[in-house]
Amino acid sequence: MIQVHLGHVFHLAGRPGVGDSAAALVTLPDGALVVDDDGRIVFCGARGELPARFGSVETVDHRPGFLLPGFVDTHIHFPQTYAGDSYGGGQLLEWLDQCIFPAESRLAEPEFAQQAAVEFCDRRIAAGTTAAMVFGSAFPHAQDALFSETRRRGLRMVSGRGIQTVGPDSAAALITSEEDALRLTAAEIDKWHAADTGDVSTALLHVAIVPRFAPAVTPETLKNLGDLYDSVRDRGVYVHSHLNENNRPGTGEVDTVKQSYQVDSYLDTYDGKFLPGSSAGGTSLLGRRTILAHCVHCQDAELERMAQTGTSISHCPTSQLFLGSGTMPWRRTVESGVNISAGTDFGAGDEWLIPRVLGDAFKVHISEEGDAGVSMHPAEMLFVGTLGGARALDMEDRFGNFDVGKEADFVVVDPSRTPALANSVIGGVRSTDGEMARDQTLFALLMGIRESSIAQVYVQGRRVHG
């Protein structure tokens, strides 16, 4: 059934980059979004300009609420669903050893894994996350539960089992042999990639190859995964991992990688250059369907290589604050030309809601030292949480904004459900300059949204339910 949705529309039209997103920002205070029988957008504009042919179709009036593109979370951990706010007595590596590896091992129990899959989907919907790149469980039955529950709810997801072939005793239950790592990953691709429609161009479910991070695998693992990716890249399979997250001198993740692999840069390990001296040892895992989370401590050459290959960053400022990992340099990263999306990184991040991540991004980047400090434009924030995520998933042609022809993924934000947000939107000071007033309204909205503000969530024009 064709539907007309009414509300205050915000989105980024066309194909802007993050740096020119302000010029692409569209606001329609009395807007109309028309969705056809196939769940595609056939009109987005002012209500007063609604074509006559839609005058008698069903109308859903969300006013005075807002219509925003669905939020895209490009880095979140399914097996950490119950591990938020875990205290490990240190930073990244201590936290993994003390809290996360034991928590993820609990999904070995099928009933617990099923419970986690249901909770994970509930929390996604409550947060308005319509599409996500999900770091998966090591256990195939847990991944089966996640994919099955995601399909039942009608959500978009890319996920892959977390691959570990080495690690501490606390990760013993998560570690497999080299042979099993390859076998289980290939089996997951065959079972779940585009399993809902059989066509990668229309599917909501997709699979990624997910080495946990370079310290959790070996050169042999990376060579085997590169060979596997070579064989499935043309099927639209993804790659996902962590990069340059924590650099505490001597004992941090970045130094650990450089010392153990004897490479020039962390990125080299994913770029097929994982032998001593950054010598080529296999096929690169970089590309348009590769997302690397964090990228806090990247060298210029690493950023340039990611931009060159179309690899995207999942920016996770909330978890970087939580683990004391530092701040991804905004200005330098944007200037490199690499695509930037947003990740909650739950459970290192203690938020499920992408707007909260965007709020943390604004705070950390305005606080960068000297000339590096920058006040993010609200359109940049919206880009990172919506269109940048769709681009990172290489599905910008399908969703991410309200351009005609795209699939209608959107959230309805009702300020009245969150009094503090309503007060800010209704009573906040606005400039007499129209463009600045627009930006101030969007900023207040993004900063003030809470889970209580998310009234309805739609994927492909169908409302999804928690």
Side-chain angles (χ1 to χ4, degrees), residues 109-146:
E109 180 187 337
E111 288 187 5
F112 185 79
Q114 176 61 38
Q115 176 185 326
V118 172
E119 175 71 11
F120 185 84
C121 291
D122 282 346
R123 295 298 302 270
R124 274 193 59 185
I125 295 169
T129 300
T130 54
M133 171 66 86
V134 180
F135 197 106
S137 170
F139 305 110
H141 63 261
Q143 285 297 96
D144 288 347
L146 176 63

Side-chain angles (χ1 to χ4, degrees), residues 2 6 62 91 116 147 163 208 249 277 300 335 343-344 349 366-367 379 391 402-403 410 429 453-454:
I2 298 178
L6 303 180
H62 305 287
Q91 295 184 347
F147 275 109
I163 300 166
D300 287 346
E335 289 175 351
T344 59
I366 202 170
S367 301
R391 185 171 298 167
F402 296 145
D403 287 354
F410 63 99
V429 173
S453 318
I454 307 296

